[in-house]
Amino acid sequence: MARPPAARNKCLDAYISLLCEEGERAATLEATASRAGVSKGGLLYHFASKEALADGVIESTEEHVQLDLTRMSEVPEGASVYYVQTSAEVDTELDRHLVAVQRLAQAGVVSASEMLKDVHSRWFQLILDEVGDQSIAHLVILIGEGLYAHLATPGSWYQSTFDGRLQELLDLVPQLKKLK
């Protein structure tokens, strides 16, 4: 009798949660199986090793990234505004996946590092295509990354001072194109 695909997804989600919450060293096969509510054998049926779990995270993350890139290329307000706006969204599924991939990269998983470089390159290219200037595209990326870093950091002084001001920042982003 074949195991349902839901068990595979539960295992993958449990591994992502462990990576995000506790880091790669704590995300053992045993801990993943326990978190997913399956036996270790059940986990190994879907993912034969931690490397296979890492590959699963990267594959799943790519699906979320593709959706994000499609949205980013289609929104009427433009890629730059979209990038900055979504940088203020913490704890989304895309965010969880990217944090998990970052944890894998920090643990030396080369394919995770390569994926992060590729994702950032694709985001940058969409912004560059819109603004037409590398320096301005880098500025947009840095605004988004800084915003995310402050909003994702517990206890950040910026969280309390930024509350409710995202729209003001988003209104400034299109004006950056005039700097060229």
Side-chain angles (χ1 to χ4, degrees):
M1 180 174 178
R3 287 182 170 75
R8 182 185 192 282
N9 292 337
K10 284 169 66 174
C11 293
L12 193 57
D13 187 61
Y15 187 60
I16 289 169
S17 293
L18 285 165
L19 287 169
C20 292
E21 296 165 15
E22 300 180 41
E24 192 273 340
R25 291 183 72 184
T28 63
L29 293 174
E30 293 79 8
T32 301
S34 176
R35 173 79 64 106
V38 300
S39 67
K40 186 174 177 186
L43 171 67
L44 292 172
Y45 176 83
H46 296 288
F47 300 99
S49 64
K50 277 186 79 172
E51 292 77 19
L53 271 168
D55 291 343
V57 170
I58 292 167
E59 179 182 305
S60 179
T61 302
E62 180 59 31
E63 293 170 13
H64 288 280
V65 166
Q66 283 298 328
L67 287 171
D68 187 64
L69 289 166
T70 299
R71 287 183 194 120
M72 188 174 178
S73 66
E74 295 175 348
V75 294
E77 63 269 16
S80 298
V81 170
Y82 177 88
Y83 182 80
V84 173
Q85 183 172 28
T86 57
S87 293
E89 297 172 1
V90 179
D91 294 328
T92 64
E93 274 305 299
L94 175 60
D95 182 41
R96 283 184 69 241
H97 279 74
L98 289 170
V99 168
V101 172
Q102 184 176 21
R103 293 289 177 94
L104 291 169
Q106 290 168 340
V109 177
V110 174
S111 57
S113 295
E114 290 170 353
M115 182 204 203
L116 290 173
K117 287 179 196 173
D118 181 60
V119 169
H120 284 89
S121 173
R122 290 185 281 168
W123 282 331
F124 179 80
Q125 190 60 53
L126 281 175
I127 293 167
L128 179 59
D129 291 347
E130 176 195 4
V131 300
D133 181 272
Q134 283 196 352
S135 295
I136 294 171
H138 283 294
L139 185 59
V140 170
I141 293 287
L142 291 172
I143 291 168
E145 293 296 317
L147 180 60
Y148 175 81
H150 282 287
L151 294 177
T153 302
S156 169
W157 67 270
Y158 195 67
Q159 288 175 344
S160 61
T161 62
F162 187 71
D163 230 11
R165 303 199 63 187
L166 179 60
Q167 191 57 51
E168 292 174 23
L169 177 61
L170 295 175
D171 291 343
L172 293 173
V173 173
Q175 295 178 36
L176 295 173
K177 291 185 230 177
K178 298 175 186 174
L179 296 175
K180 7 181 224 181

